[in-house]
Amino acid sequence: MATVQVSEAEKVYILHGIRDDLRVDGRGCEDYRHMEIETDVVSNTDGSAKVTLGHTAVLVGIKAEIGKPRPLVPNEGYLEFFVDCSANATPEFEGRGGEELGTELSNTLYKVFNNKHSVDLKSLCICPGEHCWVLYVDVLLLQCDGNLYDAISVAIKAALFNTKIPRVHISTDEEGGKEIELSDDPYDCMRLNVENVPCIVTLCKVGHRHVVDATLQEKACSVASLIISVTHKGTVTCTRKVGGGSLDPESIFEMTEAGKRVGKALHAPLMKVLQQEEHLGKKKQKVGFLG
Amino acid sequence: ASSFHSSVPHRRHLYKSLSDSTLIGRDGQVCVVLTSDVTAPGHGTYVDEDKLTASVAGEVQRVDKLICVRPLKTRFNGEVGDVVVGRITEVQQKRWKVETNSRLDSVLLLSSVNLPGGELRRRSAEDELTMREYLQEGDLISAEVQSVFSDGALSLHTRSLKYGKLGQGVLVQLSPSLIKRQKTHFHNLPCGASIILGNNGFVWLYPTPGQQEEEAGGFYTSLEPVSLSDREVISRLRNCLLALSAHKVLLYDTSVLYCYESSLQHQVKDILKPEVMEEIVMLTQQKLLEQEG
């Protein structure tokens, strides 16, 4: 991830500020920066979203393809995640520099969605044991300003909300083989229920307190972070600790509670905004990438 | 008078005209047209099929027959006497390398810093070995440009009590073209904080030091916690600077102060919301027009 250099005196200033619940930009310890979400930005995907959180910009595109279900779960579809750290974000990602971070992010996303409730995988089944929908979720990091996990998870939720999977009809032809027909109407599609899709909250331990949505300077002052994915009901689907420092079990508990609280509060406004955008329909003003 | 144009990089043709200076419009923008004499192309221009064309988007400067275009988006091009705020990137033999948002890292020679206690003596081998005790990688300093090397790198010096290592505070990184050149770049704002507007776009906000700390000369950095009220002022100023920079307003002590006053009705963290930013900057620009005509 992009790093900035911070002097010792700046670190002390940031530390004391967080201790007094007044961060450098005036936020409290559990406040997010200004977030902008736009869906349906990439025309040749089935669902897409772009999220800007401070200066972090993430683009998610989802493509639905027909594939073979996994042998152990023949009546479910599945999701495949791929995170690409573009060299646009920071020169450190040039060439293969961004691969390590990309793999780490994808693995975390697999863990976050690896449960029965986040996405209704049974609705992705077309023909048990033979055909199912595979959703390829591609994440592209455009700009890096700290807090990648949160931005990516919000973008994925928005993109899944925006995904339109075409309806298919299975018919058997003369030889007994199955034929898949897409419906003629391009607007006849299936939408996913994203109520239970979790959002990731990253909590960085700075001094004795933790902060949500840390900037790069605050990240430079923290040695350990906790990544929690929380659903709208407050259920935790995945927890990960990153960073070289150690965390006290008590602080892990405190941070988990704070993460649950913050994550739960993130879902309702997010769904409201997504539904408002959906209602605008054709009247929506497209902002795109240069806005 | 030349005007600031938006940073959309499209070509502006500077036409040769037989009549005296006339203003012509192109794409809705007004270009300054030159007099009948042949003009000399300076920096930022080139001759394209007999027409003098700008190669960068920026401000047109004219000295007699020499036409230059100074780009708006550029790295810091230092001149002697500029005040800069920089970060130490390397500690080398007898000098430090400082990052100042220029094309090359600037150089701070060991002989250009003040020794502790203000002694004036020859730098010994011991001084060389203890360089890191004074300035380490990552430290912030305020310095003045002493000279410019032939390759364009700046040579800095901190041979004055007002320059030196910076203590607790907030650094805001902005574009160098937004900083107005003034007589002094160190201001103690009446709202309760101090500001250093580095010519290189790095702005340093810090709590106004008490009386006795002024004479330290930058060697002793206080690590005492800053009071909450000072912090709030500094955070508000930081957000105001970002708001002004986003709307390309020239930064100097008056504009920063007016922006601070216009923002008092909002909470500190709300200032960065686009609608609030626009409102505050509009109020600031109105006030600036009123006061300065």
Side-chain angles (χ1 to χ4, degrees), chain B residues 215-258:
Chain B
E215 283 95 65
F219 255 96
Y220 166 66
T221 42
S222 159
L223 295 176
E224 290 292 313
V226 175
S227 72
L228 200 59
S229 51
D230 282 343
R231 267 180 205 285
E232 230 189 278
V233 172
I234 291 178
S235 299
R236 193 177 279 280
L237 279 171
R238 174 205 181 262
N239 289 352
C240 286
L241 283 169
L242 288 173
L244 288 172
S245 150
H247 290 262
K248 308 279 185 266
V249 176
L250 209 57
L251 294 169
Y252 52 112
D253 54 343
T254 320
S255 67
V256 175
L257 202 57
Y258 285 170

mmCIF file of all heavy atoms in Angstrom, chain B residues 215-258:
data_model
loop_
_atom_site.group_PDB
_atom_site.id
_atom_site.type_symbol
_atom_site.label_atom_id
_atom_site.label_comp_id
_atom_site.label_asym_id
_atom_site.label_seq_id
_atom_site.Cartn_x
_atom_site.Cartn_y
_atom_site.Cartn_z
ATOM 1 N N GLU B 215 13.194 31.365 20.997
ATOM 2 C CA GLU B 215 14.645 31.490 20.799
ATOM 3 C C GLU B 215 15.337 30.159 20.594
ATOM 4 O O GLU B 215 16.538 30.123 20.444
ATOM 5 C CB GLU B 215 15.286 32.197 22.012
ATOM 6 C CG GLU B 215 15.066 33.704 22.005
ATOM 7 C CD GLU B 215 13.869 34.094 22.835
ATOM 8 O OE1 GLU B 215 13.899 33.896 24.058
ATOM 9 O OE2 GLU B 215 12.891 34.576 22.265
ATOM 10 N N ALA B 216 14.577 29.046 20.633
ATOM 11 C CA ALA B 216 15.262 27.755 20.565
ATOM 12 C C ALA B 216 15.965 27.536 19.239
ATOM 13 O O ALA B 216 16.977 26.856 19.182
ATOM 14 C CB ALA B 216 14.256 26.638 20.817
ATOM 15 N N GLY B 217 15.421 28.092 18.186
ATOM 16 C CA GLY B 217 16.091 27.946 16.883
ATOM 17 C C GLY B 217 15.867 26.600 16.240
ATOM 18 O O GLY B 217 16.608 26.180 15.366
ATOM 19 N N GLY B 218 14.850 25.920 16.675
ATOM 20 C CA GLY B 218 14.482 24.700 15.969
ATOM 21 C C GLY B 218 15.190 23.446 16.412
ATOM 22 O O GLY B 218 15.053 22.401 15.806
ATOM 23 N N PHE B 219 15.990 23.520 17.461
ATOM 24 C CA PHE B 219 16.682 22.304 17.873
ATOM 25 C C PHE B 219 15.855 21.481 18.832
ATOM 26 O O PHE B 219 15.883 20.273 18.846
ATOM 27 C CB PHE B 219 18.018 22.660 18.553
ATOM 28 C CG PHE B 219 19.173 22.380 17.667
ATOM 29 C CD1 PHE B 219 19.734 23.377 16.895
ATOM 30 C CD2 PHE B 219 19.682 21.099 17.559
ATOM 31 C CE1 PHE B 219 20.787 23.109 16.051
ATOM 32 C CE2 PHE B 219 20.739 20.821 16.718
ATOM 33 C CZ PHE B 219 21.294 21.835 15.971
ATOM 34 N N TYR B 220 15.130 22.204 19.674
ATOM 35 C CA TYR B 220 14.355 21.505 20.679
ATOM 36 C C TYR B 220 12.906 21.425 20.208
ATOM 37 O O TYR B 220 12.268 22.438 19.982
ATOM 38 C CB TYR B 220 14.442 22.249 22.009
ATOM 39 C CG TYR B 220 13.419 21.814 23.012
ATOM 40 C CD1 TYR B 220 13.467 20.519 23.539
ATOM 41 C CD2 TYR B 220 12.406 22.659 23.431
ATOM 42 C CE1 TYR B 220 12.525 20.104 24.448
ATOM 43 C CE2 TYR B 220 11.465 22.246 24.345
ATOM 44 C CZ TYR B 220 11.522 20.968 24.849
ATOM 45 O OH TYR B 220 10.585 20.561 25.750
ATOM 46 N N THR B 221 12.383 20.219 20.015
ATOM 47 C CA THR B 221 10.983 20.109 19.619
ATOM 48 C C THR B 221 10.179 19.650 20.819
ATOM 49 O O THR B 221 10.466 18.619 21.415
ATOM 50 C CB THR B 221 10.805 19.095 18.484
ATOM 51 O OG1 THR B 221 11.610 17.961 18.763
ATOM 52 C CG2 THR B 221 11.164 19.681 17.151
ATOM 53 N N SER B 222 9.175 20.441 21.153
ATOM 54 C CA SER B 222 8.376 20.110 22.314
ATOM 55 C C SER B 222 7.414 18.985 21.973
ATOM 56 O O SER B 222 6.712 19.041 20.976
ATOM 57 C CB SER B 222 7.592 21.358 22.735
ATOM 58 O OG SER B 222 6.488 20.985 23.497
ATOM 59 N N LEU B 223 7.385 17.948 22.806
ATOM 60 C CA LEU B 223 6.444 16.855 22.560
ATOM 61 C C LEU B 223 5.294 16.891 23.538
ATOM 62 O O LEU B 223 4.632 15.900 23.786
ATOM 63 C CB LEU B 223 7.183 15.506 22.622
ATOM 64 C CG LEU B 223 8.220 15.329 21.509
ATOM 65 C CD1 LEU B 223 8.982 14.024 21.697
ATOM 66 C CD2 LEU B 223 7.558 15.322 20.143
ATOM 67 N N GLU B 224 5.068 18.069 24.137
ATOM 68 C CA GLU B 224 3.943 18.223 25.057
ATOM 69 C C GLU B 224 2.650 18.197 24.257
ATOM 70 O O GLU B 224 2.604 18.728 23.154
ATOM 71 C CB GLU B 224 4.038 19.595 25.763
ATOM 72 C CG GLU B 224 5.175 19.709 26.743
ATOM 73 C CD GLU B 224 4.926 18.805 27.929
ATOM 74 O OE1 GLU B 224 3.805 18.826 28.466
ATOM 75 O OE2 GLU B 224 5.845 18.070 28.309
ATOM 76 N N PRO B 225 1.584 17.602 24.792
ATOM 77 C CA PRO B 225 0.326 17.571 24.038
ATOM 78 C C PRO B 225 -0.200 18.979 23.778
ATOM 79 O O PRO B 225 -0.137 19.845 24.644
ATOM 80 C CB PRO B 225 -0.647 16.802 24.938
ATOM 81 C CG PRO B 225 0.151 16.254 26.042
ATOM 82 C CD PRO B 225 1.481 16.904 26.077
ATOM 83 N N VAL B 226 -0.701 19.163 22.566
ATOM 84 C CA VAL B 226 -1.245 20.467 22.184
ATOM 85 C C VAL B 226 -2.681 20.542 22.700
ATOM 86 O O VAL B 226 -3.397 19.554 22.694
ATOM 87 C CB VAL B 226 -1.221 20.586 20.639
ATOM 88 C CG1 VAL B 226 -1.884 21.849 20.173
ATOM 89 C CG2 VAL B 226 0.204 20.498 20.154
ATOM 90 N N SER B 227 -3.098 21.725 23.133
ATOM 91 C CA SER B 227 -4.438 21.835 23.725
ATOM 92 C C SER B 227 -5.517 21.617 22.671
ATOM 93 O O SER B 227 -5.312 21.826 21.485
ATOM 94 C CB SER B 227 -4.611 23.214 24.359
ATOM 95 O OG SER B 227 -4.733 24.175 23.327
ATOM 96 N N LEU B 228 -6.700 21.218 23.145
ATOM 97 C CA LEU B 228 -7.795 20.861 22.235
ATOM 98 C C LEU B 228 -8.247 22.044 21.401
ATOM 99 O O LEU B 228 -8.565 21.916 20.216
ATOM 100 C CB LEU B 228 -8.968 20.310 23.053
ATOM 101 C CG LEU B 228 -9.974 19.468 22.261
ATOM 102 C CD1 LEU B 228 -9.271 18.280 21.642
ATOM 103 C CD2 LEU B 228 -11.083 18.984 23.179
ATOM 104 N N SER B 229 -8.278 23.250 22.006
ATOM 105 C CA SER B 229 -8.746 24.420 21.254
ATOM 106 C C SER B 229 -7.783 24.737 20.120
ATOM 107 O O SER B 229 -8.195 25.029 19.002
ATOM 108 C CB SER B 229 -8.889 25.614 22.189
ATOM 109 O OG SER B 229 -7.695 25.776 22.926
ATOM 110 N N ASP B 230 -6.474 24.629 20.392
ATOM 111 C CA ASP B 230 -5.478 24.868 19.332
ATOM 112 C C ASP B 230 -5.647 23.850 18.218
ATOM 113 O O ASP B 230 -5.544 24.171 17.040
ATOM 114 C CB ASP B 230 -4.057 24.759 19.894
ATOM 115 C CG ASP B 230 -3.642 25.999 20.661
ATOM 116 O OD1 ASP B 230 -4.310 27.039 20.492
ATOM 117 O OD2 ASP B 230 -2.670 25.932 21.426
ATOM 118 N N ARG B 231 -5.888 22.606 18.615
ATOM 119 C CA ARG B 231 -6.076 21.545 17.622
ATOM 120 C C ARG B 231 -7.241 21.831 16.695
ATOM 121 O O ARG B 231 -7.161 21.624 15.494
ATOM 122 C CB ARG B 231 -6.386 20.220 18.322
ATOM 123 C CG ARG B 231 -5.218 19.402 18.590
ATOM 124 C CD ARG B 231 -5.618 18.132 19.279
ATOM 125 N NE ARG B 231 -4.494 17.674 20.022
ATOM 126 C CZ ARG B 231 -3.424 17.102 19.466
ATOM 127 N NH1 ARG B 231 -3.405 16.895 18.174
ATOM 128 N NH2 ARG B 231 -2.403 16.762 20.186
ATOM 129 N N GLU B 232 -8.310 22.324 17.298
ATOM 130 C CA GLU B 232 -9.489 22.591 16.482
ATOM 131 C C GLU B 232 -9.199 23.679 15.470
ATOM 132 O O GLU B 232 -9.588 23.573 14.304
ATOM 133 C CB GLU B 232 -10.637 23.045 17.383
ATOM 134 C CG GLU B 232 -11.900 22.267 17.111
ATOM 135 C CD GLU B 232 -13.097 22.835 17.816
ATOM 136 O OE1 GLU B 232 -13.247 22.516 18.998
ATOM 137 O OE2 GLU B 232 -13.838 23.589 17.180
ATOM 138 N N VAL B 233 -8.486 24.711 15.917
ATOM 139 C CA VAL B 233 -8.146 25.808 15.003
ATOM 140 C C VAL B 233 -7.298 25.273 13.858
ATOM 141 O O VAL B 233 -7.519 25.584 12.684
ATOM 142 C CB VAL B 233 -7.390 26.918 15.769
ATOM 143 C CG1 VAL B 233 -6.864 27.960 14.814
ATOM 144 C CG2 VAL B 233 -8.281 27.557 16.805
ATOM 145 N N ILE B 234 -6.312 24.428 14.204
ATOM 146 C CA ILE B 234 -5.406 23.901 13.178
ATOM 147 C C ILE B 234 -6.171 23.008 12.195
ATOM 148 O O ILE B 234 -5.975 23.084 10.977
ATOM 149 C CB ILE B 234 -4.239 23.150 13.844
ATOM 150 C CG1 ILE B 234 -3.342 24.143 14.573
ATOM 151 C CG2 ILE B 234 -3.436 22.373 12.820
ATOM 152 C CD1 ILE B 234 -2.181 23.509 15.295
ATOM 153 N N SER B 235 -7.063 22.157 12.715
ATOM 154 C CA SER B 235 -7.839 21.284 11.822
ATOM 155 C C SER B 235 -8.722 22.110 10.909
ATOM 156 O O SER B 235 -8.863 21.814 9.722
ATOM 157 C CB SER B 235 -8.712 20.330 12.630
ATOM 158 O OG SER B 235 -7.911 19.516 13.428
ATOM 159 N N ARG B 236 -9.307 23.159 11.456
ATOM 160 C CA ARG B 236 -10.183 24.004 10.649
ATOM 161 C C ARG B 236 -9.376 24.694 9.546
ATOM 162 O O ARG B 236 -9.789 24.744 8.394
ATOM 163 C CB ARG B 236 -10.872 25.038 11.534
ATOM 164 C CG ARG B 236 -12.007 25.757 10.885
ATOM 165 C CD ARG B 236 -12.670 26.714 11.873
ATOM 166 N NE ARG B 236 -13.604 26.028 12.756
ATOM 167 C CZ ARG B 236 -14.845 25.703 12.399
ATOM 168 N NH1 ARG B 236 -15.282 25.997 11.203
ATOM 169 N NH2 ARG B 236 -15.637 25.090 13.242
ATOM 170 N N LEU B 237 -8.204 25.195 9.922
ATOM 171 C CA LEU B 237 -7.346 25.854 8.928
ATOM 172 C C LEU B 237 -6.938 24.874 7.847
ATOM 173 O O LEU B 237 -6.913 25.204 6.654
ATOM 174 C CB LEU B 237 -6.089 26.412 9.605
ATOM 175 C CG LEU B 237 -6.247 27.739 10.320
ATOM 176 C CD1 LEU B 237 -5.006 28.050 11.127
ATOM 177 C CD2 LEU B 237 -6.510 28.857 9.330
ATOM 178 N N ARG B 238 -6.621 23.643 8.248
ATOM 179 C CA ARG B 238 -6.220 22.629 7.267
ATOM 180 C C ARG B 238 -7.332 22.391 6.254
ATOM 181 O O ARG B 238 -7.116 22.383 5.043
ATOM 182 C CB ARG B 238 -5.867 21.330 7.986
ATOM 183 C CG ARG B 238 -5.574 20.187 7.011
ATOM 184 C CD ARG B 238 -5.839 18.871 7.682
ATOM 185 N NE ARG B 238 -5.550 17.752 6.815
ATOM 186 C CZ ARG B 238 -6.466 17.104 6.112
ATOM 187 N NH1 ARG B 238 -7.723 17.462 6.173
ATOM 188 N NH2 ARG B 238 -6.116 16.083 5.344
ATOM 189 N N ASN B 239 -8.558 22.207 6.760
ATOM 190 C CA ASN B 239 -9.669 21.965 5.846
ATOM 191 C C ASN B 239 -9.939 23.173 4.966
ATOM 192 O O ASN B 239 -10.280 23.027 3.793
ATOM 193 C CB ASN B 239 -10.916 21.579 6.645
ATOM 194 C CG ASN B 239 -10.794 20.188 7.242
ATOM 195 O OD1 ASN B 239 -9.853 19.462 6.941
ATOM 196 N ND2 ASN B 239 -11.727 19.814 8.091
ATOM 197 N N CYS B 240 -9.773 24.383 5.531
ATOM 198 C CA CYS B 240 -9.968 25.597 4.734
ATOM 199 C C CYS B 240 -8.940 25.662 3.614
ATOM 200 O O CYS B 240 -9.261 26.005 2.475
ATOM 201 C CB CYS B 240 -9.831 26.838 5.604
ATOM 202 S SG CYS B 240 -11.238 27.106 6.666
ATOM 203 N N LEU B 241 -7.691 25.311 3.928
ATOM 204 C CA LEU B 241 -6.652 25.324 2.894
ATOM 205 C C LEU B 241 -7.005 24.364 1.776
ATOM 206 O O LEU B 241 -6.855 24.680 0.595
ATOM 207 C CB LEU B 241 -5.298 24.924 3.495
ATOM 208 C CG LEU B 241 -4.574 25.976 4.299
ATOM 209 C CD1 LEU B 241 -3.413 25.364 5.039
ATOM 210 C CD2 LEU B 241 -4.069 27.085 3.392
ATOM 211 N N LEU B 242 -7.494 23.176 2.134
ATOM 212 C CA LEU B 242 -7.867 22.198 1.109
ATOM 213 C C LEU B 242 -9.039 22.713 0.283
ATOM 214 O O LEU B 242 -9.093 22.516 -0.929
ATOM 215 C CB LEU B 242 -8.213 20.858 1.754
ATOM 216 C CG LEU B 242 -7.017 20.106 2.314
ATOM 217 C CD1 LEU B 242 -7.475 18.878 3.078
ATOM 218 C CD2 LEU B 242 -6.077 19.679 1.211
ATOM 219 N N ALA B 243 -9.981 23.403 0.938
ATOM 220 C CA ALA B 243 -11.128 23.944 0.208
ATOM 221 C C ALA B 243 -10.672 25.007 -0.775
ATOM 222 O O ALA B 243 -11.069 25.018 -1.940
ATOM 223 C CB ALA B 243 -12.141 24.514 1.191
ATOM 224 N N LEU B 244 -9.808 25.920 -0.324
ATOM 225 C CA LEU B 244 -9.316 26.986 -1.200
ATOM 226 C C LEU B 244 -8.524 26.407 -2.353
ATOM 227 O O LEU B 244 -8.623 26.846 -3.488
ATOM 228 C CB LEU B 244 -8.430 27.951 -0.405
ATOM 229 C CG LEU B 244 -9.138 28.866 0.583
ATOM 230 C CD1 LEU B 244 -8.129 29.612 1.426
ATOM 231 C CD2 LEU B 244 -10.049 29.843 -0.134
ATOM 232 N N SER B 245 -7.725 25.381 -2.050
ATOM 233 C CA SER B 245 -6.894 24.785 -3.104
ATOM 234 C C SER B 245 -7.751 24.084 -4.140
ATOM 235 O O SER B 245 -7.445 24.113 -5.325
ATOM 236 C CB SER B 245 -5.917 23.810 -2.443
ATOM 237 O OG SER B 245 -5.603 22.779 -3.302
ATOM 238 N N ALA B 246 -8.839 23.447 -3.682
ATOM 239 C CA ALA B 246 -9.721 22.744 -4.633
ATOM 240 C C ALA B 246 -10.393 23.715 -5.581
ATOM 241 O O ALA B 246 -10.745 23.343 -6.700
ATOM 242 C CB ALA B 246 -10.765 21.949 -3.868
ATOM 243 N N HIS B 247 -10.570 24.968 -5.142
ATOM 244 C CA HIS B 247 -11.200 25.960 -6.000
ATOM 245 C C HIS B 247 -10.203 26.945 -6.581
ATOM 246 O O HIS B 247 -10.578 27.999 -7.078
ATOM 247 C CB HIS B 247 -12.286 26.709 -5.212
ATOM 248 C CG HIS B 247 -13.462 25.843 -4.921
ATOM 249 N ND1 HIS B 247 -14.597 25.856 -5.681
ATOM 250 C CD2 HIS B 247 -13.664 24.909 -3.970
ATOM 251 C CE1 HIS B 247 -15.452 24.967 -5.202
ATOM 252 N NE2 HIS B 247 -14.903 24.372 -4.165
ATOM 253 N N LYS B 248 -8.935 26.574 -6.491
ATOM 254 C CA LYS B 248 -7.848 27.339 -7.139
ATOM 255 C C LYS B 248 -7.825 28.802 -6.722
ATOM 256 O O LYS B 248 -7.667 29.701 -7.546
ATOM 257 C CB LYS B 248 -7.954 27.246 -8.677
ATOM 258 C CG LYS B 248 -8.065 25.830 -9.192
ATOM 259 C CD LYS B 248 -6.701 25.167 -9.257
ATOM 260 C CE LYS B 248 -6.740 23.807 -9.875
ATOM 261 N NZ LYS B 248 -6.873 22.710 -8.918
ATOM 262 N N VAL B 249 -7.968 29.052 -5.424
ATOM 263 C CA VAL B 249 -7.875 30.419 -4.907
ATOM 264 C C VAL B 249 -6.446 30.645 -4.447
ATOM 265 O O VAL B 249 -5.837 29.785 -3.827
ATOM 266 C CB VAL B 249 -8.849 30.608 -3.721
ATOM 267 C CG1 VAL B 249 -8.693 31.977 -3.119
ATOM 268 C CG2 VAL B 249 -10.263 30.350 -4.159
ATOM 269 N N LEU B 250 -5.905 31.818 -4.755
ATOM 270 C CA LEU B 250 -4.532 32.146 -4.360
ATOM 271 C C LEU B 250 -4.429 32.167 -2.838
ATOM 272 O O LEU B 250 -5.293 32.723 -2.165
ATOM 273 C CB LEU B 250 -4.186 33.522 -4.926
ATOM 274 C CG LEU B 250 -2.727 33.792 -5.255
ATOM 275 C CD1 LEU B 250 -2.192 32.776 -6.233
ATOM 276 C CD2 LEU B 250 -2.575 35.191 -5.824
ATOM 277 N N LEU B 251 -3.372 31.566 -2.317
ATOM 278 C CA LEU B 251 -3.243 31.450 -0.867
ATOM 279 C C LEU B 251 -2.280 32.461 -0.302
ATOM 280 O O LEU B 251 -1.120 32.514 -0.698
ATOM 281 C CB LEU B 251 -2.742 30.045 -0.521
ATOM 282 C CG LEU B 251 -3.700 28.909 -0.841
ATOM 283 C CD1 LEU B 251 -2.990 27.589 -0.695
ATOM 284 C CD2 LEU B 251 -4.889 28.939 0.075
ATOM 285 N N TYR B 252 -2.776 33.267 0.618
ATOM 286 C CA TYR B 252 -1.905 34.127 1.404
ATOM 287 C C TYR B 252 -2.626 34.371 2.725
ATOM 288 O O TYR B 252 -3.757 33.946 2.897
ATOM 289 C CB TYR B 252 -1.545 35.426 0.674
ATOM 290 C CG TYR B 252 -2.699 36.219 0.136
ATOM 291 C CD1 TYR B 252 -3.028 37.457 0.691
ATOM 292 C CD2 TYR B 252 -3.451 35.774 -0.946
ATOM 293 C CE1 TYR B 252 -4.074 38.207 0.197
ATOM 294 C CE2 TYR B 252 -4.501 36.515 -1.438
ATOM 295 C CZ TYR B 252 -4.806 37.732 -0.871
ATOM 296 O OH TYR B 252 -5.843 38.471 -1.360
ATOM 297 N N ASP B 253 -1.985 35.056 3.657
ATOM 298 C CA ASP B 253 -2.546 35.109 5.007
ATOM 299 C C ASP B 253 -3.970 35.659 5.025
ATOM 300 O O ASP B 253 -4.826 35.151 5.755
ATOM 301 C CB ASP B 253 -1.641 35.905 5.943
ATOM 302 C CG ASP B 253 -1.328 37.285 5.406
ATOM 303 O OD1 ASP B 253 -1.537 37.521 4.195
ATOM 304 O OD2 ASP B 253 -0.842 38.123 6.177
ATOM 305 N N THR B 254 -4.262 36.662 4.220
ATOM 306 C CA THR B 254 -5.605 37.246 4.240
ATOM 307 C C THR B 254 -6.652 36.272 3.727
ATOM 308 O O THR B 254 -7.706 36.102 4.345
ATOM 309 C CB THR B 254 -5.650 38.527 3.375
ATOM 310 O OG1 THR B 254 -4.454 39.262 3.588
ATOM 311 C CG2 THR B 254 -6.840 39.373 3.739
ATOM 312 N N SER B 255 -6.368 35.619 2.612
ATOM 313 C CA SER B 255 -7.384 34.713 2.050
ATOM 314 C C SER B 255 -7.630 33.552 3.001
ATOM 315 O O SER B 255 -8.762 33.109 3.177
ATOM 316 C CB SER B 255 -6.978 34.226 0.664
ATOM 317 O OG SER B 255 -5.843 33.404 0.726
ATOM 318 N N VAL B 256 -6.560 33.061 3.635
ATOM 319 C CA VAL B 256 -6.729 31.943 4.570
ATOM 320 C C VAL B 256 -7.566 32.388 5.766
ATOM 321 O O VAL B 256 -8.449 31.676 6.231
ATOM 322 C CB VAL B 256 -5.361 31.414 5.043
ATOM 323 C CG1 VAL B 256 -5.519 30.353 6.097
ATOM 324 C CG2 VAL B 256 -4.579 30.870 3.880
ATOM 325 N N LEU B 257 -7.299 33.612 6.232
ATOM 326 C CA LEU B 257 -8.036 34.117 7.383
ATOM 327 C C LEU B 257 -9.512 34.314 7.065
ATOM 328 O O LEU B 257 -10.391 33.936 7.846
ATOM 329 C CB LEU B 257 -7.416 35.432 7.823
ATOM 330 C CG LEU B 257 -7.713 35.814 9.271
ATOM 331 C CD1 LEU B 257 -7.248 34.714 10.189
ATOM 332 C CD2 LEU B 257 -7.027 37.114 9.614
ATOM 333 N N TYR B 258 -9.804 34.895 5.892
ATOM 334 C CA TYR B 258 -11.201 35.103 5.501
ATOM 335 C C TYR B 258 -11.920 33.771 5.379
ATOM 336 O O TYR B 258 -13.066 33.625 5.770
ATOM 337 C CB TYR B 258 -11.276 35.864 4.166
ATOM 338 C CG TYR B 258 -10.973 37.328 4.278
ATOM 339 C CD1 TYR B 258 -10.787 38.109 3.134
ATOM 340 C CD2 TYR B 258 -10.851 37.965 5.507
ATOM 341 C CE1 TYR B 258 -10.499 39.458 3.221
ATOM 342 C CE2 TYR B 258 -10.555 39.307 5.596
ATOM 343 C CZ TYR B 258 -10.379 40.044 4.437
ATOM 344 O OH TYR B 258 -10.091 41.381 4.514
#
